[in-house]
Amino acid sequence: MTIFIREATTRAQPGRFDPLITPATAARICWCTDDRQPSDLLDQGGIDYLVRRAIRLGIDPVTAIQIATINPASYYGLHDRGAITPGRRADLVVLDNLRNVTTKMVLREGKVAAQDGQLLPYEKPQREVRLRGSMNVNWDKVNFRVEAQGRRANVIGVIPDQIVTEHLIEDLTIEDGEAVQDPGLDLLKIAVIDRHTGKGNFTVDS
């Protein structure tokens, strides 16, 4: 079993995760930053931010870096990377020290790709794009009307910085027999729309 410790924009880790990381468990743990906003990536970083945070919480720097490198490479079967070993890809990051974990240099396939925060010119390999277009919404078949079934409804209560939610029952704002969003009451609609097939399938709740 491998444990992914996740800290994202929508879920800032509220407590300490260092008790989970021991010499016996460190090889089975990976960092995860799913759903981090671009502004946070620019201001704080991604996996490197988790490494710095772990070190501040008392995790051994080498262990924190191991959890960011060789552990996920092994988990995903990327056996050509994740460690400095003969025969593996020379995709490397050079740090200024093991406390701030500030990147001084980035090597791609053994060649310097960035230094002191500046991207250097490099020959970008041509790769076949295998992704199909996934934005195929038939807007003519989509609407956001919600017929009111009563004055109250189940509401998803958002907890700041968390992905878990609350189950609330709140009074709705009704107009012409429809439940409508009401920002003044912090009530909004939520919709799931098929963006792949173009068939216009959707569901809406208030």
Side-chain angles (χ1 to χ4, degrees):
M1 180 178 69
T2 298
I3 297 173
F4 282 76
I5 296 179
R6 176 181 182 231
E7 180 159 340
T9 299
T10 54
R11 185 184 185 276
Q13 182 62 252
R16 296 172 63 92
F17 45 65
D18 50 310
L20 183 66
I21 302 172
T22 68
T25 64
R28 308 299 296 178
I29 295 175
C30 300
W31 305 125
C32 175
T33 61
D34 188 25
D35 294 332
R36 248 176 116 62
Q37 297 292 339
S39 59
D40 286 342
L41 291 172
L42 288 171
D43 295 340
Q44 299 175 337
I47 294 294
D48 57 325
Y49 167 75
L50 275 180
V51 172
R52 286 191 292 272
R53 188 173 188 278
I55 293 172
R56 288 197 300 269
L57 289 174
I59 301 298
D60 176 72
V62 173
T63 299
I65 293 171
Q66 170 194 340
I67 293 172
T69 55
I70 193 170
N71 288 7
S74 299
Y75 177 83
Y76 286 108
L78 304 175
H79 302 302
D80 62 342
R81 67 200 76 184
I84 303 175
T85 305
R88 298 199 184 193
R89 293 180 54 161
D91 293 346
L92 308 173
V93 175
V94 179
L95 307 176
D96 60 350
N97 60 69
L98 292 181
R99 289 293 169 187
N100 297 328
V101 193
T102 301
T103 301
K104 298 297 293 181
M105 184 185 301
V106 177
L107 289 87
R108 183 181 182 276
E109 297 181 352
K111 299 179 180 179
V112 178
Q115 189 167 9
D116 296 323
Q118 298 297 319
L119 183 66
L120 302 180
Y122 71 97
E123 184 178 347
K124 187 176 182 179
Q126 297 296 321
R127 296 179 180 178
E128 180 183 356
V129 178
R130 298 182 179 179
L131 296 177
R132 63 179 175 83
S134 61
M135 293 302 296
N136 301 298
V137 178
N138 187 341
W139 291 109
D140 292 335
K141 294 185 178 181
V142 175
N143 71 72
F144 300 103
R145 298 176 61 239
V146 177
E147 183 178 348
Q149 302 296 322
R151 301 297 306 183
R152 312 193 78 200
N154 295 307
V155 173
I156 298 173
V158 176
I159 302 175
D161 298 325
Q162 295 292 309
I163 58 173
V164 295
T165 58
E166 295 179 308
H167 175 203
L168 306 175
I169 299 177
E170 301 286 349
D171 292 326
L172 298 176
T173 299
I174 309 296
E175 294 181 1
D176 299 326
E178 296 179 18
V180 299
Q181 65 271 15
D182 191 334
L185 297 177
D186 202 20
L187 292 175
L188 301 173
K189 295 180 181 180
I190 186 170
V192 177
I193 302 172
D194 170 22
R195 66 178 175 87
H196 294 282
T197 66
K199 295 181 180 179
N201 297 323
F202 69 95
T203 183
V204 181
D205 285 301
S206 61

